[in-house]
Amino acid sequence: MIDPWSISTTSHDGDRENLLRRGNVFQIANGYMGYRGTLDEFEAGQGVGIMLAGLYDQAGDAWREPVNAPNGGFTQVSIDGVALSALGNKVRRHRQTVHFRNALFERETEFAARGKKLVLRSERFLSADIPNLGVIRLTLRCEKAATIRILTGIDFEIWDLNGPHLPELTAVRRGNAILVQGLTSENSRRVCVAEALGNAGAASDKVLQKDRKILRSVTFRAQPGQSYVFEKFFAVVTGNDAVAGSVDAAAAKMVLAAADAGYDECLRRHDAHWSRKWSRCDVTIDGDKEAQQALRYSLLQLLMAAPVNGSANSIPARALSGQVYKGAVFWDTEMFMFPFFLRTIPETAAELLRYRIRTLDGARRKAATEGAGYSGAFYAWESQESGDDACSYFNIGDPITGRKLRTYFRDKQVHISGDIAIAMWEYFRVTGDPSILLEGGAEVILECARFYFSYAYFKKEKGRYEILDVVGPDEYHERVNNNAFTNMVARETFIIADKLVGYLRHSHPKALRALLGKLRISRELARFREAARLLFVPKPDRRSGVIEQFEGYLRLREATPAKLLAARAHLNEYPGATQGLAVPTQVIKQADVVMMLHLFRSRFPESIKRANWEYYEPRTEHGSSLSACAYALVAIEFGNLDVAYDYFLRTAKIDIEAKYKVYVGTIFTGGSHPAANGGAWMTAVLGFGGVSDDGPRLSIRPRLPARWNRLEFPLAHRGGIFRVAISGSTVTLTAAPDNRRTLVVQVSGKPVRCPPGKSVIVNHGKNTPALAAR
Amino acid sequence: MIDPWSISTTSHDGDRENLLRRGNVFQIANGYMGYRGTLDEFEAGQGVGIMLAGLYDQAGDAWREPVNAPNGGFTQVSIDGVALSALGNKVRRHRQTVHFRNALFERETEFAARGKKLVLRSERFLSADIPNLGVIRLTLRCEKAATIRILTGIDFEIWDLNGPHLPELTAVRRGNAILVQGLTSENSRRVCVAEALGNAGAASDKVLQKDRKILRSVTFRAQPGQSYVFEKFFAVVTGNDAVAGSVDAAAAKMVLAAADAGYDECLRRHDAHWSRKWSRCDVTIDGDKEAQQALRYSLLQLLMAAPVNGSANSIPARALSGQVYKGAVFWDTEMFMFPFFLRTIPETAAELLRYRIRTLDGARRKAATEGAGYSGAFYAWESQESGDDACSYFNIGDPITGRKLRTYFRDKQVHISGDIAIAMWEYFRVTGDPSILLEGGAEVILECARFYFSYAYFKKEKGRYEILDVVGPDEYHERVNNNAFTNMVARETFIIADKLVGYLRHSHPKALRALLGKLRISRELARFREAARLLFVPKPDRRSGVIEQFEGYLRLREATPAKLLAARAHLNEYPGATQGLAVPTQVIKQADVVMMLHLFRSRFPESIKRANWEYYEPRTEHGSSLSACAYALVAIEFGNLDVAYDYFLRTAKIDIEAKYKVYVGTIFTGGSHPAANGGAWMTAVLGFGGVSDDGPRLSIRPRLPARWNRLEFPLAHRGGIFRVAISGSTVTLTAAPDNRRTLVVQVSGKPVRCPPGKSVIVNHGKNTPALAAR
């Protein structure tokens, strides 16, 4: 039985990989922090982690990564002196669940020890109302009378990939609260965790410290069949938070207030937030429970990882599931997650953009110091809090030689700046709201254009600009010239810069003058226009329609991913990095030209999409989780819905199935894949739902997979909110009552008007004309 | 005792490396072929090789390489039924010698077997008169009467590195000659070796075939103390030779004619040629026998490798000593050997240039097919007979993984074209003779300029052309931008193209019109002028004077060659090739900026030369034999004569000492180093002799090492020949009687006139003013 609103498991084995995998799948998060899906009694050794968003630290020369907080959720229960753990042999049954509706983790375990049974149930959530807050309720019930001891408090033995980040932690009791606090090793940023129990009486508990834990000890005689409920609250506050007074005082105050309010009240406030979230974005699929569950789980991941309003944080490549990939923000956010937020919860999309505005200076520093020294903004390939690049020049280990390989991710993957500029402009285009542009987005766009101009070279013989020496999305081919994706993105940046200046000149002339003055960029605008006109972009071959991924790609040796990987001398051998097995071949890591055809889908005819999909698909290893959704989306465009559906499921199920490797060599790489989660949404709504707004107006051209009876989703567009319900033959559009304008939508080519508060039903025919032809 | 005119050894051990080393050191050659320094009785297993210049073959997928001919010099002597070999234990004494005066190889070995002594002496030379011809004289003498059997003929078991190149050879007797012939495997080019004995009587010899040898058997009873002399002649003729009639008939005719003339007459004609050669180029050093011998040996190597007049061949990187490096011609020729010939025997310099004219179409093909497809002429990095590139994209094996490494020697070492263009123009400038330009040299120059223009990019922001993505002389850093050496060479090519057009317009307007028409290049000439003006060349740092080798070099990690090599995981690990140990460091393989300072020595002040020499010298591994002479030459320029002398000896002694490795992994790399030989001449004459003609007139500014009393050498300049004798305080200039013009030379800054047939003595002071300051 597939539950469309939850995922559960009864597994509780202690295999390290399984532990880590469950830690990923059952994690919860609230944008401020992520709590891995571990159990109350687990410790660092079992991969407990409370990762903090936007707080990074470097210990020695190791990789900089996010800080994990001390675990304020720790509880160890004993019965008649026997400590109980789900990993031991005392478990009779176990079930753990994540509830999608409110990102609530629940576990229920029946233990048996000394001939007595005890059922431990706990529920925990990270408050969507007060993001510093974690809330837990433990319920205990014994069949026979027994002596129960609960050790609960803060475990400050922290699991880090490259720690320790909080080298000296101190624990104290302060009134009803206990506190653990310390400073990060690099920047001495203070981190404090406070914990309190509810139900009063806690003041009299005995508090003890051992094994890097500060614990309350509560012992009582449990009566048969009686349930004992404990409420537990923890708050994490750091020097990054704008709190009145000290960090520790703030943390203590928060937990005590929460304990006062009680679990139920905290949950009520939390649920109210979640209910609003889902109303803005939930997608329902009738007739396909597997897809429904996987897609909703994907959306849950995105909602949980979404930055706290006002934080100007973004979403790391592994979201808040752990320190993997340095907790860094990649192009994943703008290209794969941003579209979801933009069309459902635009204020979160804006927050993601604010992160890039906030880190613009870092991007300027990077531009000035990479290579020959460039102008403008070259965004970090792996971005942390300052926008300086966390990506190292030797970013991959070679298991054969034990040496680090020089990779050019950091210095040559220049499409990142354009990806961001495109997102900035998309926000304005889709929402109609210029605020992000005026807040700094316009500056970002101009600085990105400036960067590309300083990166580009002019080829006099051919009368064109070229973008040389880059790494495109396919990271197996480094240092290539005129990568189609990169050049398209760079050209688009110039085009957008020009449109932006035109718009500002017309609508915000004063802001424009100030900006041009600040950047001293007026004289460069004509260059950007020229570059927009003369920047070379590889064209489809006249006969085959194939767009060459980069100069010389088509002359590389033919090979298939399977054969290539079979030739590896070591299972974890990396096929790229200038001397790898894939480098002299046409095998690519992930969608590259096909990603471009998705990103610029209104610019290419169906025949070109098909030709390139068919050319590149058998050459693609899908060695990145970003790949499958691009292949799904483009396959939909040319009408191959069956194969698109397969790729959709691959994308949508990546985290719920968690079949990915959690270790590559000695490096832990598991965690959630928010880009794939965003890809699942894109495939469902933009792909099968057929939503696009590349033209002058919003367009819906549904192409549902055969097994889907109905697809329904809300859409934010130009400040209004709409529901779209697609069945086999009709599209029902419903405009929210407080929309300010009538929406005009093209439904399968026909214009349809949808005034505020109204519903319209349109017949779209089973197939669109384009599909009917096949 | 060092003999300034010969080198000898008494070693005759059978150690494989020593055998190969002696084969290199004692080789002789005559431009048509090279005969390795092996003994009469040696076979393929001992590294016998008669390498043919300009005839290449590829067996299967192996490397293309020069063809080795069957050995027409084979002789096996037996005494009383015991076969004698210098490798056996029957040797009482042995000595082998190469005589520099006439490139004559001599061996004398005293054997003892069955209680009897036999002295075998042989002399052999490859005729400088008839280049197809090899001439041998064997002399035998026994102390006691003994039965001597001589097996002599052609051994056609051939030692090849990547053979077989003559898979099916047939042997026949034809009259007094025996012949072995066959076809090359790739192009069915015929190769024939004929052999004949002198002294008549040979017709009655028994001829037998065994073990891939065709042999005459001569048996006689030797009387005590009596010398028996045998003369033996062989001729190699191939399908490359312009001979009347068939190749085999021509070969047979040649050996019979030579046998008729006899050894002494053949030697007399040979010696006459050699005497002329030495009169044109010999350098005498008084007071330093070690330097004298090493330098003269170096010159011998160059003279032996010099192409036959009219062949339009060039000199491979290992000359004619063997098939190493595919027998390919590198930049070594133009940059390190050409200057010697240009200033001593200009007709040979012209021949070297004709080779590049002959292979221009190959360079055009390479330009059109490499990378994005370029215009003009991109010369082969490893050039064979057609000018197509013999260098592979995976040119180095990795001993750690057993895989081939991608190297960019072939596609990115673009300085090769400019090196050639510079040599073309130098020939005209130094000789005053435009014939090479008119024969095709002008076309080469324009096509090289065209290539660079199509390779260069314009950086609009900076208003300059740049040369991106190259490998400079330092091959440890591949795919770099704006390599100082490369950019200087490219800019010089544009400058030369412009001067060339100016010169032709004035002096050969019809030829210019025809050339411009043929190349359809008229519209491009303005571009070349613009590029000459606007091509960026890295400037010396204002404070340190250091010229950055390429963009970003100075930001690489500091390291020393010794420490770097100590970190190797395998002794033969290559430090370059994009992931090698040297790549992220400042350790360089060979002179790069310093080579540029030598090549363009009139453009940089002494202070810059010193600053860069001092910066780069401790960072240079000298992993190439081309490196030491550049460091010697530049050290002389700024007056550090002691260290220059050390580098000079390193260069001059490389082949006579033969301490180089003869194997790298499984690949044989030993052989002579004609570039270093040329470097020795450059250091002696251009360096210590202080000869330069970069300015309006020839200049001599001597800077002799302390131990040299006197340095004397001939010089060809503007069609005249001069002798220059430098002592501690004077320069004596002597003009050949048939010079047509009075030479005006700047001697240490003072103009001196030297009319035909006259001598002038000039006081140059012990030190030049520049040196006096130190």
Side-chain angles (χ1 to χ4, degrees), chain A residues 565-744:
Chain A
L565 296 179
R568 286 181 298 188
H570 187 290
L571 197 67
N572 291 339
E573 187 186 338
Y574 182 68
T578 75
Q579 298 285 354
L581 288 171
V583 178
T585 77
Q586 291 189 19
V587 170
I588 63 176
K589 185 180 177 196
Q590 65 196 88
D592 191 305
V593 168
V594 167
M595 182 63 196
M596 179 195 84
L597 294 174
H598 154 65
L599 187 58
F600 299 99
R601 61 182 178 166
S602 64
R603 321 272 177 99
F604 296 93
E606 236 179 271
S607 60
I608 296 300
K609 287 173 186 160
R610 174 188 287 274
N612 283 280
W613 194 99
E614 288 177 350
Y615 188 85
Y616 286 105
E617 199 261 356
R619 291 165 173 82
T620 307
E621 189 213 344
H622 303 297
S624 158
S625 61
L626 313 182
S627 193
C629 69
Y631 277 94
L633 282 156
V634 174
I636 295 169
E637 295 274 319
F638 66 83
N640 194 341
L641 299 184
D642 289 343
V643 78
Y645 180 79
D646 292 344
Y647 274 112
F648 165 72
L649 273 196
R650 245 165 114 161
T651 304
K653 289 168 73 173
I654 185 166
D655 282 335
I656 201 167
E657 283 196 342
K659 287 183 176 163
Y660 47 74
K661 286 202 273 188
V662 293
Y663 269 94
V664 170
T666 56
I667 299 187
F668 179 56
T669 62
S672 56
H673 297 73
N677 305 148
W681 179 88
M682 285 198 283
T683 307
V685 172
L686 308 183
F688 296 127
V691 171
S692 75
D693 51 6
D694 300 330
R697 53 172 74 132
L698 188 66
S699 156
I700 298 174
R701 187 182 285 274
R703 286 156 295 197
L704 298 194
R707 71 193 77 184
W708 290 11
N709 302 323
R710 194 160 181 281
L711 176 70
E712 188 172 342
F713 50 84
L715 265 191
H717 186 77
R718 291 257 150 193
I721 294 178
F722 307 88
R723 291 197 70 75
V724 180
I726 299 165
S727 70
S729 56
T730 61
V731 171
T732 307
L733 287 171
T734 307
D738 48 357
N739 284 358
R740 275 176 300 170
R741 276 182 300 204
T742 291
L743 175 72
V744 184

Side-chain angles (χ1 to χ4, degrees), chain A residues 141-212:
Chain A
R141 196 163 43 80
C142 298
E143 278 190 352
K144 300 177 184 168
T147 300
I148 303 296
R149 187 191 191 200
I150 297 176
L151 289 173
T152 189
I154 304 171
D155 178 2
F156 52 99
E157 178 70 35
I158 297 174
W159 177 52
D160 278 321
L161 298 183
N162 297 286
H165 300 296
L166 299 167
E168 289 176 33
L169 287 162
T170 55
V172 292
R173 175 174 190 157
R174 194 178 296 166
N176 281 349
I178 55 178
L179 273 79
V180 171
Q181 59 182 314
L183 301 176
T184 61
S185 65
E186 184 186 9
N187 297 322
S188 299
R189 196 59 59 101
R190 187 166 298 276
V191 173
C192 178
V193 178
E195 188 251 25
L197 295 186
N199 320 85
S204 60
D205 306 333
K206 205 170 89 190
V207 169
L208 53 103
Q209 272 199 50
K210 66 169 206 176
D211 299 341
R212 292 179 61 78

Side-chain angles (χ1 to χ4, degrees), chain A residues 76-85 90 112-114 118 147 149:
Chain A
Q76 169 72 67
V77 175
S78 304
I79 179 166
D80 288 352
V82 178
L84 301 174
S85 165
K90 300 177 186 66
R114 298 201 192 279
L118 177 146
T147 300
R149 187 191 191 200

Side-chain angles (χ1 to χ4, degrees), chain B residues 70-377:
Chain B
N71 174 18
F74 178 81
T75 298
Q76 168 72 66
V77 176
S78 304
I79 180 165
D80 289 352
V82 179
L84 301 173
S85 165
L87 297 183
N89 55 4
K90 301 177 186 65
V91 178
R92 288 300 170 87
R93 63 177 168 84
H94 171 80
R95 182 177 196 89
Q96 67 190 60
T97 303
V98 165
H99 296 282
F100 303 167
R101 284 210 192 273
N102 55 356
L104 185 140
F105 173 88
E106 180 191 348
R107 65 86 65 94
E108 187 171 299
T109 313
E110 184 180 307
F111 297 98
R114 298 202 191 279
K116 294 178 182 174
K117 281 192 190 162
L118 177 147
V119 176
L120 168 63
R121 182 184 154 86
S122 79
E123 295 147 286
R124 73 166 170 248
F125 62 89
L126 299 175
S127 171
D129 185 46
I130 300 173
N132 306 71
L133 190 66
V135 181
I136 302 171
R137 181 163 64 190
L138 294 152
T139 308
L140 298 164
R141 198 164 43 80
C142 299
E143 279 192 351
K144 300 178 183 167
T147 300
I148 302 295
R149 188 194 190 200
I150 297 177
L151 289 173
T152 188
I154 305 171
D155 178 1
F156 52 98
E157 178 69 36
I158 298 173
W159 177 52
D160 279 320
L161 298 183
N162 297 286
H165 300 297
L166 299 167
E168 288 176 33
L169 287 163
T170 56
V172 292
R173 173 174 192 159
R174 193 179 295 169
N176 281 349
I178 54 177
L179 274 78
V180 170
Q181 58 182 314
L183 302 175
T184 60
S185 65
E186 183 186 9
N187 297 321
S188 299
R189 197 59 61 101
R190 186 167 298 276
V191 173
C192 178
V193 178
E195 188 251 25
L197 294 187
N199 318 88
S204 60
D205 307 335
K206 205 170 88 190
V207 168
L208 53 102
Q209 272 199 47
K210 66 167 209 181
D211 299 342
R212 292 177 62 79
K213 292 186 182 70
I214 178 167
L215 299 171
R216 304 160 197 277
S217 173
V218 183
T219 306
F220 62 94
R221 187 72 190 167
Q223 298 307 315
Q226 170 95 33
S227 285
Y228 296 88
V229 178
F230 294 82
E231 296 183 358
K232 178 176 161 81
F233 305 85
F234 68 87
V236 183
V237 181
T238 79
N240 272 2
D241 295 314
V243 288
S246 69
V247 157
D248 50 329
K253 199 173 150 189
M254 278 180 195
V255 282
L256 294 174
D260 254 10
Y263 180 90
D264 287 331
E265 175 59 17
C266 287
L267 180 61
R268 196 190 56 75
R269 293 180 200 157
H270 173 75
D271 283 354
H273 282 273
W274 272 97
S275 156
R276 274 195 299 277
K277 287 183 206 285
W278 281 116
S279 75
R280 300 282 293 275
C281 69
D282 187 36
V283 179
T284 57
I285 302 170
D286 273 13
D288 189 347
K289 287 196 174 166
E290 182 187 14
Q292 173 69 77
Q293 186 200 41
L295 176 59
R296 198 169 271 140
Y297 181 79
S298 299
L299 303 191
L300 172 70
Q301 301 306 311
L302 291 163
L303 293 173
M304 293 196 305
V308 171
N309 282 349
S311 66
N313 276 337
S314 187
I315 305 178
R318 286 288 180 269
L320 303 177
S321 65
Q323 293 161 321
V324 172
Y325 292 150
K326 308 165 193 163
V329 179
F330 290 67
W331 72 309
D332 303 37
T333 310
E334 281 74 17
M335 290 286 111
F336 297 87
M337 308 175 211
F338 175 82
F340 162 74
F341 291 109
L342 175 63
R343 289 178 179 81
T344 58
I345 311 176
E347 58 272 31
T348 298
E351 208 61 44
L352 299 174
L353 298 178
R354 281 189 196 103
Y355 169 75
R356 297 301 192 176
I357 294 170
R358 171 159 76 87
T359 53
L360 174 58
D361 276 346
R364 286 191 178 111
R365 282 191 293 275
K366 178 175 171 185
T369 51
E370 287 296 340
Y374 307 105
S375 315

Side-chain angles (χ1 to χ4, degrees), chain B residues 451-749:
Chain B
F451 166 66
Y452 283 124
F453 192 86
S454 80
Y455 199 88
Y457 279 90
F458 192 70
K459 190 79 196 159
K460 284 217 176 180
E461 253 186 325
K462 300 176 180 168
R464 70 192 198 187
Y465 288 90
E466 301 188 12
I467 307 278
L468 305 174
D469 201 2
V470 303
V471 182
D474 161 31
E475 292 175 323
Y476 288 168
H477 296 92
E478 302 193 350
R479 305 199 63 189
V480 303
N481 293 339
N482 294 314
N483 168 252
F485 180 92
T486 305
N487 286 27
M488 271 299 271
V489 162
R491 188 172 71 177
E492 195 65 12
T493 304
F494 290 124
I495 292 170
I496 287 172
D498 190 40
K499 284 186 191 166
L500 167 73
V501 170
Y503 165 73
L504 292 179
R505 182 165 290 134
H506 181 266
S507 304
H508 304 276
K510 213 169 134 186
L512 178 65
R513 268 197 307 280
L515 180 59
L516 297 181
K518 176 183 175 190
L519 300 182
R520 303 167 151 270
I521 205 171
S522 304
R523 279 179 41 207
E524 297 167 43
L525 300 176
R527 289 180 179 174
F528 300 165
R529 278 193 299 276
E530 185 187 76
R533 221 167 17 92
L534 299 182
L535 178 57
F536 168 66
V537 174
K539 296 271 172 303
D541 180 79
R542 218 172 296 173
R543 288 210 312 211
S544 68
V546 172
I547 297 167
E548 192 171 29
Q549 185 176 302
F550 55 82
E551 223 161 70
Y553 170 83
L554 293 173
R555 276 179 289 153
L556 295 177
R557 186 157 54 75
E558 284 279 1
T560 63
K563 277 193 190 156
L564 201 78
L565 296 179
R568 284 181 299 188
H570 186 290
L571 197 67
N572 290 339
E573 186 187 338
Y574 182 69
T578 74
Q579 298 285 354
L581 287 172
V583 178
T585 77
Q586 291 190 19
V587 170
I588 63 177
K589 185 180 177 197
Q590 65 196 87
D592 192 306
V593 167
V594 167
M595 181 63 197
M596 179 195 84
L597 293 174
H598 155 65
L599 187 58
F600 300 99
R601 59 182 178 166
S602 65
R603 322 272 177 97
F604 296 93
E606 237 178 270
S607 60
I608 295 300
K609 288 173 187 160
R610 175 188 287 274
N612 284 279
W613 194 100
E614 288 176 350
Y615 189 84
Y616 285 105
E617 200 260 355
R619 292 164 173 82
T620 306
E621 188 213 343
H622 303 297
S624 159
S625 61
L626 313 182
S627 193
C629 70
Y631 277 93
L633 282 156
V634 173
I636 295 169
E637 295 274 319
F638 66 84
N640 194 339
L641 298 184
D642 290 341
V643 79
Y645 181 78
D646 292 343
Y647 274 112
F648 164 73
L649 273 195
R650 247 165 112 159
T651 303
K653 290 169 73 173
I654 184 166
D655 282 334
I656 201 166
E657 284 195 340
K659 287 184 178 162
Y660 47 75
K661 285 202 273 186
V662 293
Y663 271 94
V664 170
T666 57
I667 299 186
F668 179 56
T669 61
S672 56
H673 297 73
N677 303 149
W681 180 87
M682 285 198 283
T683 308
V685 173
L686 308 183
F688 296 128
V691 171
S692 75
D693 51 6
D694 301 329
R697 53 171 74 131
L698 188 67
S699 155
I700 298 174
R701 187 184 285 273
R703 284 157 296 197
L704 298 195
R707 71 192 76 183
W708 291 10
N709 302 323
R710 194 160 180 279
L711 175 71
E712 187 173 341
F713 50 85
L715 265 191
H717 186 77
R718 292 258 148 191
I721 292 177
F722 308 87
R723 291 197 68 75
V724 181
I726 299 164
S727 69
S729 56
T730 61
V731 172
T732 307
L733 286 171
T734 309
D738 49 357
N739 283 358
R740 276 177 299 172
R741 277 183 298 204
T742 291
L743 175 73
V744 184
V745 195
Q746 296 285 117
V747 177
S748 294

